Amino acid sequence: MEKNLTADNYYSPEQNSRFFSVSQYKDFMKCEAAAMAKIRGTYKQPVTKALLVGSFVDSYFEGTLDAFVRDNPAVFTRKNELRSEFRKANEIIFRIRSDSLFMRFMSGEKQRIMTFELFGTPWKMKMDSYLEEICITDLKVVANFRTMPFWRYDLQGALYQKGVEIVTGQLLPFYLAVATKERVPDLDIFQVPQSTLDLALKEMEENMPRFLAVKAGMEPPRCCGKCDYCKSIKAARIRNYNELLEDRG
Ligand SMILES: [Zn+2]
C-alpha cells in the first residue's frame, strides 16, 4: 500500500512519482529529460543560496526556523556567524513583521497540504498561508519586483486555486506576498488577476497530455540540450565555429 503524503515525505521520490506538482510541471516545461531524471532520482538540482534564503524566510513564518538552521549548516560561516545572505533574510523578516497588511496575508494556516485529481492525474500542493474561505497566499522573496513574471507564479496560482476549489468547492483569490532582497527591502501584496489564472490553467491543460505520456514512459523525454542536466550527459560533437555568431547559444 502507498504511504500517505505528509510534510515529512512531501518531497520524497515516491511521492514525486505518484503526484504531479507545480514545480514538476515547470521542470517538464524547461526540460523533459531533466524532469524525468529528477523524478527517477538520478539528477539532483543543486540547492542555490538564493533558494535557501527563500526557505529561511518560509521556515521562519512556519515556525520551524530552528530545525531549518540545524539542517542547513551552510547558513553559517566557518566562524559560526550568520552568512550575509541570511542576515539579509533576517532584515526582510523584520521588515515584513512591521507591516500589518502583509502579516494579515501571512496569518493563515501554514504549509497546508492538499491532494486532488486534475487533468487525469493526482496532484499535490503545499500552501504558504491558507485563509479558509478567504484567500490563498504564497510568500516570495525575490531579487526585485520586475523579475517576477519570469518565474511564472501564475501557474502556481492557477493550480492552487483549482486545487482548493476541487477540495473545498470554493473559488478563492490567489495572492503573492512579496518582499525583495534589494538594499532596502521592498514589499507588496500582488493579486494575480482571474483572467491570468484562467489562461495559465488552460496552458497547463494543453501541455499535460504530453507530460503525462513522458512521465508514464510512453513517450521518450526530449532533451533541451542547454540545461545543466543535458550538458552533464551530452557527447561532444564537431561544430562550425561560425554558428556561435548566429544564435549566441
Ligand atoms: Zn535539458
Side-chain angles (χ1 to χ4, degrees), residues 2-6 9-25 28 39 113-118 121-125 159 208 212 215:
E2 278 166 333
K3 274 200 228 104
N4 280 334
L5 183 70
T6 64
N9 67 16
Y10 188 87
Y11 297 105
S12 70
E14 296 76 39
Q15 304 297 355
N16 285 339
S17 312
R18 186 174 157 207
F19 292 99
F20 242 91
S21 63
V22 174
S23 59
Q24 198 173 91
Y25 175 87
F28 273 97
I39 291 168
I113 292 171
M114 283 186 183
T115 59
F116 53 93
E117 288 271 332
L118 183 65
T121 190
W123 289 77
K124 59 175 172 146
M125 62 183 232
L159 191 89
M208 279 307 288
L212 280 174
K215 191 174 176 182

mmCIF file of all heavy atoms in Angstrom, residues 2-6 9-25 28 39 113-118 121-125 159 208 212 215:
data_model
loop_
_atom_site.group_PDB
_atom_site.id
_atom_site.type_symbol
_atom_site.label_atom_id
_atom_site.label_comp_id
_atom_site.label_asym_id
_atom_site.label_seq_id
_atom_site.Cartn_x
_atom_site.Cartn_y
_atom_site.Cartn_z
ATOM 1 N N GLU A 2 0.383 2.294 -0.683
ATOM 2 C CA GLU A 2 1.167 3.528 -0.764
ATOM 3 C C GLU A 2 1.039 4.328 0.531
ATOM 4 O O GLU A 2 -0.017 4.385 1.149
ATOM 5 C CB GLU A 2 0.672 4.382 -1.939
ATOM 6 C CG GLU A 2 1.277 3.921 -3.241
ATOM 7 C CD GLU A 2 0.555 4.519 -4.436
ATOM 8 O OE1 GLU A 2 -0.640 4.831 -4.296
ATOM 9 O OE2 GLU A 2 1.183 4.664 -5.486
ATOM 10 N N LYS A 3 2.155 4.923 0.888
ATOM 11 C CA LYS A 3 2.159 5.757 2.097
ATOM 12 C C LYS A 3 1.391 7.048 1.851
ATOM 13 O O LYS A 3 1.405 7.589 0.754
ATOM 14 C CB LYS A 3 3.604 6.101 2.462
ATOM 15 C CG LYS A 3 4.272 5.051 3.322
ATOM 16 C CD LYS A 3 5.471 5.668 4.041
ATOM 17 C CE LYS A 3 6.695 4.785 3.911
ATOM 18 N NZ LYS A 3 7.716 5.188 2.995
ATOM 19 N N ASN A 4 0.750 7.556 2.888
ATOM 20 C CA ASN A 4 0.070 8.843 2.775
ATOM 21 C C ASN A 4 1.084 9.959 2.602
ATOM 22 O O ASN A 4 2.207 9.876 3.088
ATOM 23 C CB ASN A 4 -0.764 9.110 4.033
ATOM 24 C CG ASN A 4 -2.071 8.355 3.979
ATOM 25 O OD1 ASN A 4 -2.578 8.032 2.902
ATOM 26 N ND2 ASN A 4 -2.619 8.063 5.153
ATOM 27 N N LEU A 5 0.645 11.003 1.923
ATOM 28 C CA LEU A 5 1.501 12.167 1.739
ATOM 29 C C LEU A 5 1.499 12.997 3.025
ATOM 30 O O LEU A 5 0.446 13.368 3.529
ATOM 31 C CB LEU A 5 0.966 13.002 0.574
ATOM 32 C CG LEU A 5 1.784 14.223 0.179
ATOM 33 C CD1 LEU A 5 3.086 13.813 -0.466
ATOM 34 C CD2 LEU A 5 0.991 15.107 -0.762
ATOM 35 N N THR A 6 2.692 13.258 3.552
ATOM 36 C CA THR A 6 2.813 14.057 4.778
ATOM 37 C C THR A 6 3.884 15.135 4.561
ATOM 38 O O THR A 6 4.574 15.132 3.544
ATOM 39 C CB THR A 6 3.277 13.176 5.971
ATOM 40 O OG1 THR A 6 4.587 12.693 5.665
ATOM 41 C CG2 THR A 6 2.337 12.015 6.207
ATOM 42 N N ASN A 9 7.333 13.361 4.059
ATOM 43 C CA ASN A 9 7.702 12.688 2.802
ATOM 44 C C ASN A 9 7.252 13.472 1.566
ATOM 45 O O ASN A 9 7.297 12.951 0.450
ATOM 46 C CB ASN A 9 7.145 11.254 2.778
ATOM 47 C CG ASN A 9 5.627 11.214 2.721
ATOM 48 O OD1 ASN A 9 4.975 12.215 2.401
ATOM 49 N ND2 ASN A 9 5.064 10.069 3.019
ATOM 50 N N TYR A 10 6.865 14.737 1.767
ATOM 51 C CA TYR A 10 6.293 15.541 0.673
ATOM 52 C C TYR A 10 7.195 15.576 -0.557
ATOM 53 O O TYR A 10 6.728 15.490 -1.683
ATOM 54 C CB TYR A 10 5.997 16.967 1.153
ATOM 55 C CG TYR A 10 5.232 17.785 0.142
ATOM 56 C CD1 TYR A 10 3.835 17.742 0.094
ATOM 57 C CD2 TYR A 10 5.896 18.578 -0.794
ATOM 58 C CE1 TYR A 10 3.126 18.478 -0.854
ATOM 59 C CE2 TYR A 10 5.190 19.311 -1.741
ATOM 60 C CZ TYR A 10 3.813 19.261 -1.763
ATOM 61 O OH TYR A 10 3.127 19.980 -2.699
ATOM 62 N N TYR A 11 8.505 15.725 -0.343
ATOM 63 C CA TYR A 11 9.442 15.845 -1.474
ATOM 64 C C TYR A 11 10.131 14.530 -1.827
ATOM 65 O O TYR A 11 11.097 14.521 -2.590
ATOM 66 C CB TYR A 11 10.506 16.914 -1.162
ATOM 67 C CG TYR A 11 9.930 18.295 -0.988
ATOM 68 C CD1 TYR A 11 9.806 18.867 0.271
ATOM 69 C CD2 TYR A 11 9.488 19.022 -2.097
ATOM 70 C CE1 TYR A 11 9.266 20.146 0.437
ATOM 71 C CE2 TYR A 11 8.942 20.288 -1.943
ATOM 72 C CZ TYR A 11 8.837 20.850 -0.682
ATOM 73 O OH TYR A 11 8.295 22.093 -0.533
ATOM 74 N N SER A 12 9.657 13.409 -1.273
ATOM 75 C CA SER A 12 10.338 12.128 -1.499
ATOM 76 C C SER A 12 10.140 11.655 -2.943
ATOM 77 O O SER A 12 9.163 12.008 -3.607
ATOM 78 C CB SER A 12 9.800 11.069 -0.537
ATOM 79 O OG SER A 12 8.476 10.736 -0.913
ATOM 80 N N PRO A 13 11.093 10.842 -3.457
ATOM 81 C CA PRO A 13 10.966 10.325 -4.827
ATOM 82 C C PRO A 13 9.655 9.552 -5.041
ATOM 83 O O PRO A 13 9.049 9.660 -6.102
ATOM 84 C CB PRO A 13 12.174 9.386 -4.953
ATOM 85 C CG PRO A 13 13.140 9.834 -3.918
ATOM 86 C CD PRO A 13 12.337 10.426 -2.804
ATOM 87 N N GLU A 14 9.216 8.798 -4.017
ATOM 88 C CA GLU A 14 7.969 8.029 -4.154
ATOM 89 C C GLU A 14 6.796 8.960 -4.439
ATOM 90 O O GLU A 14 5.984 8.726 -5.333
ATOM 91 C CB GLU A 14 7.650 7.230 -2.881
ATOM 92 C CG GLU A 14 8.644 6.136 -2.522
ATOM 93 C CD GLU A 14 9.932 6.686 -1.921
ATOM 94 O OE1 GLU A 14 9.853 7.649 -1.127
ATOM 95 O OE2 GLU A 14 11.020 6.193 -2.269
ATOM 96 N N GLN A 15 6.720 10.035 -3.644
ATOM 97 C CA GLN A 15 5.581 10.951 -3.798
ATOM 98 C C GLN A 15 5.705 11.772 -5.080
ATOM 99 O O GLN A 15 4.692 12.147 -5.667
ATOM 100 C CB GLN A 15 5.443 11.868 -2.572
ATOM 101 C CG GLN A 15 5.323 11.126 -1.243
ATOM 102 C CD GLN A 15 4.070 10.249 -1.134
ATOM 103 O OE1 GLN A 15 3.212 10.243 -1.997
ATOM 104 N NE2 GLN A 15 3.987 9.482 -0.052
ATOM 105 N N ASN A 16 6.949 12.029 -5.525
ATOM 106 C CA ASN A 16 7.125 12.749 -6.782
ATOM 107 C C ASN A 16 6.768 11.877 -7.987
ATOM 108 O O ASN A 16 6.392 12.395 -9.039
ATOM 109 C CB ASN A 16 8.562 13.263 -6.919
ATOM 110 C CG ASN A 16 8.818 14.467 -6.037
ATOM 111 O OD1 ASN A 16 7.874 15.152 -5.623
ATOM 112 N ND2 ASN A 16 10.072 14.719 -5.732
ATOM 113 N N SER A 17 6.905 10.553 -7.843
ATOM 114 C CA SER A 17 6.482 9.668 -8.927
ATOM 115 C C SER A 17 4.972 9.579 -8.958
ATOM 116 O O SER A 17 4.355 9.507 -10.009
ATOM 117 C CB SER A 17 7.033 8.251 -8.742
ATOM 118 O OG SER A 17 8.390 8.285 -8.450
ATOM 119 N N ARG A 18 4.391 9.558 -7.763
ATOM 120 C CA ARG A 18 2.950 9.336 -7.643
ATOM 121 C C ARG A 18 2.151 10.589 -8.015
ATOM 122 O O ARG A 18 1.117 10.504 -8.665
ATOM 123 C CB ARG A 18 2.687 8.946 -6.193
ATOM 124 C CG ARG A 18 1.292 8.548 -5.880
ATOM 125 C CD ARG A 18 1.263 8.060 -4.429
ATOM 126 N NE ARG A 18 -0.058 8.169 -3.866
ATOM 127 C CZ ARG A 18 -0.292 8.320 -2.572
ATOM 128 N NH1 ARG A 18 0.715 8.411 -1.717
ATOM 129 N NH2 ARG A 18 -1.523 8.382 -2.135
ATOM 130 N N PHE A 19 2.644 11.764 -7.590
ATOM 131 C CA PHE A 19 1.902 13.012 -7.795
ATOM 132 C C PHE A 19 2.610 13.936 -8.783
ATOM 133 O O PHE A 19 3.836 13.964 -8.835
ATOM 134 C CB PHE A 19 1.789 13.792 -6.477
ATOM 135 C CG PHE A 19 0.923 13.141 -5.450
ATOM 136 C CD1 PHE A 19 1.485 12.401 -4.427
ATOM 137 C CD2 PHE A 19 -0.462 13.302 -5.485
ATOM 138 C CE1 PHE A 19 0.686 11.817 -3.452
ATOM 139 C CE2 PHE A 19 -1.262 12.717 -4.515
ATOM 140 C CZ PHE A 19 -0.688 11.968 -3.494
ATOM 141 N N PHE A 20 1.806 14.726 -9.485
ATOM 142 C CA PHE A 20 2.338 15.885 -10.186
ATOM 143 C C PHE A 20 2.318 17.059 -9.221
ATOM 144 O O PHE A 20 1.580 17.060 -8.245
ATOM 145 C CB PHE A 20 1.480 16.214 -11.420
ATOM 146 C CG PHE A 20 2.237 16.114 -12.706
ATOM 147 C CD1 PHE A 20 2.278 14.924 -13.417
ATOM 148 C CD2 PHE A 20 2.930 17.209 -13.193
ATOM 149 C CE1 PHE A 20 2.992 14.824 -14.601
ATOM 150 C CE2 PHE A 20 3.642 17.124 -14.374
ATOM 151 C CZ PHE A 20 3.673 15.926 -15.076
ATOM 152 N N SER A 21 3.155 18.069 -9.457
ATOM 153 C CA SER A 21 3.128 19.292 -8.656
ATOM 154 C C SER A 21 3.472 20.443 -9.594
ATOM 155 O O SER A 21 3.927 20.217 -10.715
ATOM 156 C CB SER A 21 4.171 19.215 -7.535
ATOM 157 O OG SER A 21 5.463 19.140 -8.100
ATOM 158 N N VAL A 22 3.262 21.674 -9.138
ATOM 159 C CA VAL A 22 3.580 22.825 -9.989
ATOM 160 C C VAL A 22 5.064 22.830 -10.334
ATOM 161 O O VAL A 22 5.440 23.089 -11.477
ATOM 162 C CB VAL A 22 3.212 24.158 -9.315
ATOM 163 C CG1 VAL A 22 3.691 25.324 -10.151
ATOM 164 C CG2 VAL A 22 1.723 24.252 -9.146
ATOM 165 N N SER A 23 5.920 22.519 -9.349
ATOM 166 C CA SER A 23 7.352 22.591 -9.649
ATOM 167 C C SER A 23 7.740 21.495 -10.645
ATOM 168 O O SER A 23 8.585 21.714 -11.517
ATOM 169 C CB SER A 23 8.197 22.535 -8.380
ATOM 170 O OG SER A 23 7.938 21.359 -7.683
ATOM 171 N N GLN A 24 7.083 20.321 -10.542
ATOM 172 C CA GLN A 24 7.359 19.270 -11.522
ATOM 173 C C GLN A 24 6.873 19.693 -12.916
ATOM 174 O O GLN A 24 7.572 19.478 -13.916
ATOM 175 C CB GLN A 24 6.654 17.979 -11.096
ATOM 176 C CG GLN A 24 7.192 16.749 -11.760
ATOM 177 C CD GLN A 24 6.564 15.485 -11.175
ATOM 178 O OE1 GLN A 24 5.553 15.001 -11.660
ATOM 179 N NE2 GLN A 24 7.155 14.963 -10.118
ATOM 180 N N TYR A 25 5.697 20.308 -12.954
ATOM 181 C CA TYR A 25 5.183 20.809 -14.233
ATOM 182 C C TYR A 25 6.177 21.796 -14.863
ATOM 183 O O TYR A 25 6.474 21.729 -16.049
ATOM 184 C CB TYR A 25 3.818 21.474 -14.019
ATOM 185 C CG TYR A 25 3.271 22.122 -15.264
ATOM 186 C CD1 TYR A 25 2.525 21.393 -16.189
ATOM 187 C CD2 TYR A 25 3.529 23.463 -15.543
ATOM 188 C CE1 TYR A 25 2.044 21.974 -17.349
ATOM 189 C CE2 TYR A 25 3.059 24.059 -16.699
ATOM 190 C CZ TYR A 25 2.316 23.318 -17.598
ATOM 191 O OH TYR A 25 1.855 23.905 -18.748
ATOM 192 N N PHE A 28 9.114 20.040 -16.367
ATOM 193 C CA PHE A 28 8.807 19.484 -17.685
ATOM 194 C C PHE A 28 8.807 20.563 -18.754
ATOM 195 O O PHE A 28 9.209 20.327 -19.886
ATOM 196 C CB PHE A 28 7.461 18.749 -17.673
ATOM 197 C CG PHE A 28 7.572 17.308 -17.259
ATOM 198 C CD1 PHE A 28 7.319 16.911 -15.958
ATOM 199 C CD2 PHE A 28 7.950 16.337 -18.189
ATOM 200 C CE1 PHE A 28 7.433 15.586 -15.575
ATOM 201 C CE2 PHE A 28 8.070 15.008 -17.813
ATOM 202 C CZ PHE A 28 7.801 14.620 -16.503
ATOM 203 N N ILE A 39 12.808 12.960 -11.258
ATOM 204 C CA ILE A 39 11.805 12.028 -10.720
ATOM 205 C C ILE A 39 12.450 10.682 -10.407
ATOM 206 O O ILE A 39 12.180 10.077 -9.368
ATOM 207 C CB ILE A 39 10.637 11.859 -11.715
ATOM 208 C CG1 ILE A 39 9.828 13.163 -11.809
ATOM 209 C CG2 ILE A 39 9.735 10.694 -11.303
ATOM 210 C CD1 ILE A 39 8.837 13.211 -12.945
ATOM 211 N N ILE A 113 -1.148 21.155 3.154
ATOM 212 C CA ILE A 113 -1.029 20.253 2.001
ATOM 213 C C ILE A 113 -2.420 19.854 1.515
ATOM 214 O O ILE A 113 -3.300 19.589 2.324
ATOM 215 C CB ILE A 113 -0.230 18.988 2.401
ATOM 216 C CG1 ILE A 113 1.238 19.353 2.691
ATOM 217 C CG2 ILE A 113 -0.305 17.917 1.318
ATOM 218 C CD1 ILE A 113 2.049 18.221 3.306
ATOM 219 N N MET A 114 -2.611 19.830 0.208
ATOM 220 C CA MET A 114 -3.832 19.272 -0.381
ATOM 221 C C MET A 114 -3.450 18.363 -1.539
ATOM 222 O O MET A 114 -2.445 18.605 -2.214
ATOM 223 C CB MET A 114 -4.758 20.379 -0.894
ATOM 224 C CG MET A 114 -5.528 21.099 0.192
ATOM 225 S SD MET A 114 -6.705 22.264 -0.533
ATOM 226 C CE MET A 114 -7.358 22.994 0.984
ATOM 227 N N THR A 115 -4.278 17.327 -1.765
ATOM 228 C CA THR A 115 -4.104 16.470 -2.939
ATOM 229 C C THR A 115 -5.440 16.382 -3.660
ATOM 230 O O THR A 115 -6.495 16.481 -3.034
ATOM 231 C CB THR A 115 -3.648 15.048 -2.552
ATOM 232 O OG1 THR A 115 -4.622 14.477 -1.694
ATOM 233 C CG2 THR A 115 -2.302 15.070 -1.849
ATOM 234 N N PHE A 116 -5.383 16.232 -4.972
ATOM 235 C CA PHE A 116 -6.618 16.196 -5.766
ATOM 236 C C PHE A 116 -6.312 15.641 -7.153
ATOM 237 O O PHE A 116 -5.140 15.502 -7.530
ATOM 238 C CB PHE A 116 -7.213 17.611 -5.882
ATOM 239 C CG PHE A 116 -6.233 18.638 -6.384
ATOM 240 C CD1 PHE A 116 -6.150 18.940 -7.732
ATOM 241 C CD2 PHE A 116 -5.357 19.285 -5.497
ATOM 242 C CE1 PHE A 116 -5.228 19.869 -8.195
ATOM 243 C CE2 PHE A 116 -4.432 20.215 -5.960
ATOM 244 C CZ PHE A 116 -4.364 20.499 -7.310
ATOM 245 N N GLU A 117 -7.369 15.322 -7.896
ATOM 246 C CA GLU A 117 -7.236 14.822 -9.267
ATOM 247 C C GLU A 117 -7.508 15.950 -10.251
ATOM 248 O O GLU A 117 -8.494 16.681 -10.091
ATOM 249 C CB GLU A 117 -8.275 13.723 -9.525
ATOM 250 C CG GLU A 117 -8.000 12.412 -8.816
ATOM 251 C CD GLU A 117 -7.136 11.468 -9.649
ATOM 252 O OE1 GLU A 117 -7.188 11.543 -10.903
ATOM 253 O OE2 GLU A 117 -6.412 10.678 -9.023
ATOM 254 N N LEU A 118 -6.640 16.100 -11.254
ATOM 255 C CA LEU A 118 -6.856 17.106 -12.296
ATOM 256 C C LEU A 118 -6.079 16.694 -13.542
ATOM 257 O O LEU A 118 -4.959 16.166 -13.416
ATOM 258 C CB LEU A 118 -6.392 18.488 -11.791
ATOM 259 C CG LEU A 118 -6.602 19.688 -12.731
ATOM 260 C CD1 LEU A 118 -8.079 19.955 -12.969
ATOM 261 C CD2 LEU A 118 -5.928 20.931 -12.159
ATOM 262 N N THR A 121 -4.668 13.045 -13.532
ATOM 263 C CA THR A 121 -3.564 12.580 -12.688
ATOM 264 C C THR A 121 -3.704 13.176 -11.286
ATOM 265 O O THR A 121 -4.316 14.231 -11.123
ATOM 266 C CB THR A 121 -2.199 12.977 -13.317
ATOM 267 O OG1 THR A 121 -1.138 12.318 -12.621
ATOM 268 C CG2 THR A 121 -1.964 14.482 -13.267
ATOM 269 N N PRO A 122 -3.163 12.504 -10.254
ATOM 270 C CA PRO A 122 -3.180 13.108 -8.919
ATOM 271 C C PRO A 122 -2.137 14.223 -8.785
ATOM 272 O O PRO A 122 -1.050 14.117 -9.356
ATOM 273 C CB PRO A 122 -2.858 11.941 -7.977
ATOM 274 C CG PRO A 122 -2.343 10.846 -8.810
ATOM 275 C CD PRO A 122 -2.632 11.136 -10.249
ATOM 276 N N TRP A 123 -2.497 15.280 -8.058
ATOM 277 C CA TRP A 123 -1.614 16.418 -7.804
ATOM 278 C C TRP A 123 -1.426 16.591 -6.304
ATOM 279 O O TRP A 123 -2.301 16.254 -5.507
ATOM 280 C CB TRP A 123 -2.222 17.714 -8.359
ATOM 281 C CG TRP A 123 -2.234 17.782 -9.840
ATOM 282 C CD1 TRP A 123 -3.109 17.125 -10.671
ATOM 283 C CD2 TRP A 123 -1.349 18.536 -10.683
ATOM 284 N NE1 TRP A 123 -2.808 17.429 -11.985
ATOM 285 C CE2 TRP A 123 -1.751 18.293 -12.016
ATOM 286 C CE3 TRP A 123 -0.280 19.396 -10.434
ATOM 287 C CZ2 TRP A 123 -1.091 18.885 -13.096
ATOM 288 C CZ3 TRP A 123 0.365 19.983 -11.514
ATOM 289 C CH2 TRP A 123 -0.025 19.723 -12.830
ATOM 290 N N LYS A 124 -0.272 17.159 -5.937
ATOM 291 C CA LYS A 124 -0.046 17.584 -4.556
ATOM 292 C C LYS A 124 0.322 19.060 -4.577
ATOM 293 O O LYS A 124 0.916 19.557 -5.547
ATOM 294 C CB LYS A 124 1.066 16.764 -3.901
ATOM 295 C CG LYS A 124 2.403 16.851 -4.618
ATOM 296 C CD LYS A 124 3.507 16.115 -3.865
ATOM 297 C CE LYS A 124 4.764 16.052 -4.715
ATOM 298 N NZ LYS A 124 6.004 16.118 -4.021
ATOM 299 N N MET A 125 -0.045 19.752 -3.518
ATOM 300 C CA MET A 125 0.348 21.156 -3.398
ATOM 301 C C MET A 125 0.467 21.518 -1.926
ATOM 302 O O MET A 125 -0.095 20.852 -1.055
ATOM 303 C CB MET A 125 -0.677 22.069 -4.075
ATOM 304 C CG MET A 125 -2.056 21.999 -3.451
ATOM 305 S SD MET A 125 -3.198 23.050 -4.373
ATOM 306 C CE MET A 125 -3.873 24.001 -3.018
ATOM 307 N N LEU A 159 -2.971 26.608 -10.312
ATOM 308 C CA LEU A 159 -3.113 25.250 -9.782
ATOM 309 C C LEU A 159 -3.603 25.266 -8.329
ATOM 310 O O LEU A 159 -4.463 24.463 -7.944
ATOM 311 C CB LEU A 159 -1.809 24.478 -9.884
ATOM 312 C CG LEU A 159 -2.112 23.011 -9.588
ATOM 313 C CD1 LEU A 159 -2.483 22.274 -10.849
ATOM 314 C CD2 LEU A 159 -1.013 22.343 -8.833
ATOM 315 N N MET A 208 -0.412 19.077 -20.487
ATOM 316 C CA MET A 208 -0.383 17.893 -19.626
ATOM 317 C C MET A 208 -0.414 16.546 -20.343
ATOM 318 O O MET A 208 0.285 15.619 -19.913
ATOM 319 C CB MET A 208 -1.490 17.977 -18.557
ATOM 320 C CG MET A 208 -1.118 18.831 -17.358
ATOM 321 S SD MET A 208 0.444 18.347 -16.596
ATOM 322 C CE MET A 208 -0.040 16.809 -15.816
ATOM 323 N N LEU A 212 2.272 13.856 -19.207
ATOM 324 C CA LEU A 212 1.825 12.605 -18.584
ATOM 325 C C LEU A 212 2.352 11.399 -19.355
ATOM 326 O O LEU A 212 2.774 10.406 -18.750
ATOM 327 C CB LEU A 212 0.294 12.551 -18.527
ATOM 328 C CG LEU A 212 -0.347 13.347 -17.385
ATOM 329 C CD1 LEU A 212 -1.865 13.339 -17.516
ATOM 330 C CD2 LEU A 212 0.071 12.774 -16.029
ATOM 331 N N LYS A 215 5.992 11.081 -18.493
ATOM 332 C CA LYS A 215 6.180 10.608 -17.119
ATOM 333 C C LYS A 215 5.838 9.119 -16.998
ATOM 334 O O LYS A 215 6.474 8.381 -16.243
ATOM 335 C CB LYS A 215 5.334 11.436 -16.143
ATOM 336 C CG LYS A 215 5.693 11.167 -14.685
ATOM 337 C CD LYS A 215 4.963 12.076 -13.711
ATOM 338 C CE LYS A 215 5.297 11.684 -12.275
ATOM 339 N NZ LYS A 215 4.602 12.491 -11.261
#
